[in-house]
């Protein structure tokens, strides 16, 4: 049986999204920047997509910049905002549990002379506003805190932080890549200035995302060329993917209630069975205030990658720590940030459920997991 | 996880040879790699100048288990002097190669064996 429990890494494209995308590869393939009728049809469609998305996230369509995904959006916003606003100050706050596509640009800015500080999190895996209040300075220009963490699924108090940042004249960015559809993104109500999304996390195509950018704020473009996206991001508009993302976002929000209930019940069921049938397990991160698709579990005394490979031979796909950096041997920075002991850092598996997950798949997973854990524990040197 | 393990690695991972505790042994060592956090323990039993038996325990990745497993097959029956010179490249070769970032697993295994021999020798 093949079981895919790695939906936080990426999701399967929804067939209905694929159908919507198809005509834009072979029939309506005009370049949205061309003046002839094919180009103009594409251009009209592009505007419609922005309007549709803006409605969903309660933002302004003119502030939506399409990108090649979450990584590009985060790079664009972090570096673009910092470099364009350094006249006001060079201090930047970034949470310590951000995705690498925020942390790495932040490191790069540090090398350029910016003063970048990491905001610690509490043991539940949350950034606290009080902590931020202590860390800001007159020269702080930008705060970046993700909406939902990709490893442990904890939901961050972004509305609170954004309101505070706005009051203090500091720009605020949130990486909302893992938040859909668990949070109703509301740009205006939340007071966020910048936000990142990526379509492949919600059953849309890979390689497309958006950067929401309050265009009243200066930003230095990172990818320049033909002047697309008001000169903020060059490159021919990727219409099939943009159409796909728009449709995927529409569908996931339309079907949200049923989706969330299902995923919630299945993940609760998965955890209940793991707890009943396997000893020495624990949930990483706060068990309450997290997205229901995510279950990050510690299996004491055995190693995560061995669990992953063993399950993989049985057809089950899960991930250790953060899937995006599986090639990196270093232990998870997020689990370190929430205070796991060193000897527990390598014993964790992230199960991330999705809309195609079934109860049969969970049953099969638990029965395999019982054998896997038993086998690996039979020869662990750890007491 | 873009780790392409060879069939042989997967075989040794799924069916490790010489695994488990040894109750009466002549040498023992525990080693770990602080970067990846993986650990191995080795037990050896010596008769004359030969490694009569060897066993290991693992808290480690698939490659950690597989490299230790294949190494125990190789050194069982080997003279202490030859075992001390055992080269980790031999493991990598024998397993049909390892992903670059997993080569250190084989080095850890050999290090563990050598420390177990040192322990044996220090016991006199
Ligand atoms: C929180 C978060 N931000 C950003 C990204 C990167 O997005 P993309 O894969 O679209 O570049 C990911 C996952 O890959 C993520 O989980
Ligand atoms: S990853 Fe370090 S021993 Fe395998």
């Amino acid at each position: 049986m093949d079981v895919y429990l790695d939906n936080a890494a990426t999701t399967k494209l929804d067939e209905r999204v694929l159908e919507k995308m198809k005509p834009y590869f072979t029939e309506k393939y005009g370049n949205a920047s061309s003046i002839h009728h094919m180009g103009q049809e594409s251009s009209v469609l592009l505007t419609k997509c922005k309007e549709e998305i803006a409605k969903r996230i309660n933002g302004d369509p003119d502030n939506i910049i399409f990108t090649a995904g979450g990584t590009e959006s985060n790079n664009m916003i972090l570096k673009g905002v910092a470099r364009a606003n350094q006249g006001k100050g060079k201090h930047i706050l970034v949470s310590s549990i951000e995705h690498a596509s925020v942390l790495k640009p932040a490191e790069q800015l540090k090398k350029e002379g910016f003063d970048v500080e990491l905001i610690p999190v509490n043991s539940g895996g949350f950034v606290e506003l009080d902590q931020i209040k202590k860390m800001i300075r007159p020269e702080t220009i930008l705060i970046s805190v993700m909406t939902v963490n990709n490893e442990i699924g904890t939901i961050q108090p972004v509305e609170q932080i954004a309101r505070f940042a706005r009051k203090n004249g500091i720009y605020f960015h949130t990486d909302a890549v893992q938040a859909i559809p668990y949070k109703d993104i509301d740009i205006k109500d939340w007071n966020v200035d910048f936000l990142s999304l990526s379509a492949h996390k919600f059953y849309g195509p890979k390689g497309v995302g958006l950067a929401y950018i309050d265009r009243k704020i200066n930003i230095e473009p990172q990818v320049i060329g033909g002047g697309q996206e008001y000169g903020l991001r060059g490159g021919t508009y990727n219409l099939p993917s943009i159409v796909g993302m728009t449709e995927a976002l529409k569908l996931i929000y339309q079907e949200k209630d049923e989706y969330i209930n299902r995923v919630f019940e299945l993940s609760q069921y998965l955890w209940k069975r793991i707890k009943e049938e396997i000893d020495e397990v624990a949930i990483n991160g706060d068990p309450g205030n997290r997205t229901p698709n995510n279950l990050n579990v510690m299996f004491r005394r055995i190693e995560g990658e061995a669990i992953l490979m063993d399950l993989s031979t049985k057809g089950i796909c899960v991930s250790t720590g953060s899937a995006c950096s599986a090639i990196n041997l270093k232990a998870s920075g997020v689990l370190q940030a929430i205070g796991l002991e060193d000897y527990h850092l390598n014993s964790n598996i992230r199960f991330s459920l999705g809309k195609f997950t079934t109860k049969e798949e969970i049953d099969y997973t638990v029965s395999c997991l019982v054998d896997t854990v038993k086998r690996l524990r039979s020869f662990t040197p750890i007491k | 996880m873009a780790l392409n393990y060879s069939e042989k690695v997967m075989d040794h991972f799924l069916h490790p040879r010489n695994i488990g505790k040894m109750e009466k042994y002549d040498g023992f060592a525990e080693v770990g790699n602080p970067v990846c956090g993986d650990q191995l323990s080795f037990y050896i039993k010596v008769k004359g100048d030969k490694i009569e038996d060897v066993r290991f325990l693992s808290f480690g990745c698939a490659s950690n288990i597989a490299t230790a497993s294949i190494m125990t097959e190789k050194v069982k029956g080997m003279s202490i002097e030859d075992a001390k010179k055992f080269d980790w490249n031999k493991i990598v070769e024998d397993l049909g190669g390892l992903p670059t970032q997993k080569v250190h697993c084989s080095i850890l295994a050999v290090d563990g064996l050598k420390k177990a021999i040192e322990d044996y020798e220090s016991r006199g």
Side-chain angles (χ1 to χ4, degrees), chain A residues 301 305-306 313 346 375 379 381, chain B residues 5 10 13 19 36 58 102:
Chain A
R301 303 191 296 117
E305 195 218 288
T313 64
N346 290 311
R375 178 172 97 83
F379 52 72
Chain B
Y5 285 133
M10 288 311 288
F13 165 56
I19 195 137
C36 65
S58 159
K102 291 290 175 183

Side-chain angles (χ1 to χ4, degrees), chain A residues 42 83 134 161 184 251 348:
Chain A
S42 293
R83 288 171 185 163
K134 278 188 260 172
I161 301 168
D184 278 320
L251 291 173
N348 308 289

Side-chain angles (χ1 to χ4, degrees), chain A residues 303 305 329, chain B residues 3 5 32-40 59-65 67 101-109:
Chain A
E303 208 266 351
E305 195 218 288
L329 293 173
Chain B
L3 283 180
Y5 285 133
N33 180 318
V35 179
C36 65
D38 287 359
Q39 297 179 32
L40 281 170
F59 170 89
C61 64
S63 150
N64 169 292
I65 296 170
T67 51
Q101 72 273 34
K102 291 290 175 183
V103 169
H104 77 272
C105 309
S106 64
I107 301 175
L108 185 68

